[in-house]
Structure formats: C-alpha cells, structure tokens
C-alpha cells in the first residue's frame, strides 16, 4: 500500500503534458480542436509546396520490411506516374499523441486502401487514408485544400 501511495504522489507532480490524454470541458475541447485543425491545414499547405508528386492512388502491395509499397494510380495531381508505381517511406518513427495533427506524417499503409500521397524525391512524405470518421481534418477537406492550392498556383 505504501508503494502505491508513493507512486500516486509522484504522478501528481508530473505536468499535464506528461499524463495521458485528458478530457477537456466542451468549450476548451472545441477551441483545442480548432487550433489543431489549423495546424493540419498549415502542414497540408506546406506539403503541397514541398512535394514534387501528389497522387490519389490505391495500395496494391506493401512490403513492410523494406518499406516499399506498390500503388495503382487513380489521379496525378502534381507530377507524372505510370499507372502502377512503387514508392518507399521512412517507417522508422511513428508519432502518437492526443491530437490528430501529432500523427499527421505517420505512414500506416494497408493494401486495398486509397490514399492521397505526397512524395518528394520518390519517397512518401505523407499518406492520407481515404476514410470517413477519422479525427481531425477529413480526407475530403484535405483534398479540397490541395486542389484549391493547385488552382491558385496556376
């Protein structure tokens, strides 16, 4: 019992950031979500500028040990590609956090899933999965930002 009490008091001394995700009152949660969405929009805008290829594509095979995936092209937004192409990614790190933007650059591929792929020098920088119900910026919102930015750059 004494050890549990000591652990409890030690945990109480940790700053909030060191603890697991915590629930916020509704108004604070809405404000935090808005800030995080703005962060994701900013990161998307930066990726559009720095990517030399942006594709809508479906993952057809994934080799996790070599971090190489093959895709079938749906649409090329920036750059050119064959109908079937391969790309590699740096899977050495995955960021986990309480906000959607923390995992913005995580690349977690699944065969058969469609993605908005951002590539630079042949390497995947972001793979945004086409799914509904995800937290943070929706896939459609992200795609609209990319298309809007491409139109404004013409």
């Amino acid at each position: 019992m004494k050890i549990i009490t000591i652990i409890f008091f030690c945990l109480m001394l940790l700053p909030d950031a060191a603890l697991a995700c915590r629930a916020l009152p509704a108004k604070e949660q809405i404000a935090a979500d808005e800030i995080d969405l703005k962060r994701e929009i900013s990161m998307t805008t930066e990726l559009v500028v720095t990517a030399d290829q942006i594709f809508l594509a479906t993952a057809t095979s994934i080799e996790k040990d070599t971090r190489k995936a093959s895709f079938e092209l749906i649409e090329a937004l920036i750059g050119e590609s064959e109908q079937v192409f391969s790309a590699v990614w740096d899977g050495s790190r995955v960021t986990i956090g309480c906000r959607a933007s923390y995992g913005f650059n995580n690349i977690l591929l699944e065969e058969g899933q469609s993605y908005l792929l951002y590539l630079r020098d042949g390497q995947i920088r972001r793979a945004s999965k086409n799914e509904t119900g995800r937290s943070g910026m929706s896939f459609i919102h992200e795609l609209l930002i990319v298309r809007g930015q491409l139109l404004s750059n013409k």
Side-chain angles (χ1 to χ4, degrees):
M1 184 66 170
K2 187 175 183 180
I3 191 90
I4 293 173
T5 305
I6 292 170
I7 292 172
F8 175 76
F9 282 112
C10 288
L11 287 174
M12 295 303 291
L13 297 173
L14 292 173
D16 287 341
L19 299 174
C21 302
R22 62 185 175 132
L24 297 172
K27 287 183 181 180
E28 288 180 41
Q29 185 65 51
I30 291 168
D33 290 345
E34 287 175 358
I35 291 167
D36 199 55
L37 178 60
K38 288 177 183 175
R39 185 170 183 237
E40 286 186 291
I41 290 169
S42 174
M43 290 187 291
T44 299
T45 301
E46 183 179 330
L47 271 173
V48 173
V49 171
T50 60
D52 50 29
Q53 296 174 305
I54 300 178
F55 302 137
L56 282 169
T58 301
T60 55
S61 70
I62 300 163
E63 300 171 20
K64 292 186 181 192
D65 54 332
T66 60
R67 296 184 185 115
K68 183 177 180 180
S70 295
F71 298 91
E72 184 170 340
L73 183 68
I74 298 170
E75 181 181 355
L77 300 169
I78 292 179
E80 296 179 6
S81 174
E82 299 292 325
Q83 186 62 35
V84 175
F85 66 95
S86 295
V88 296
W89 75 94
D90 176 10
S92 62
R93 64 186 189 293
V94 173
T95 305
I96 299 170
C98 300
R99 306 251 123 292
S101 65
Y102 292 173
F104 187 80
N105 291 317
N106 292 347
I107 299 171
L108 306 169
L109 301 173
E110 297 175 39
E111 286 183 19
Q113 291 294 320
S114 297
Y115 295 91
L116 180 57
L117 298 171
Y118 301 81
L119 290 89
R120 177 95 184 151
D121 300 323
Q123 186 171 6
I124 301 170
R125 299 296 183 193
R126 173 166 165 75
S128 178
K129 187 176 176 183
N130 184 2
E131 64 183 343
T132 57
R134 70 184 190 185
S135 63
M137 181 172 46
S138 72
F139 179 83
I140 296 299
H141 188 177
E142 184 173 353
L143 185 56
L144 289 172
I145 290 168
V146 172
R147 289 188 186 281
Q149 192 168 344
L150 293 175
L151 285 173
S152 69
N153 291 341
K154 286 187 175 183

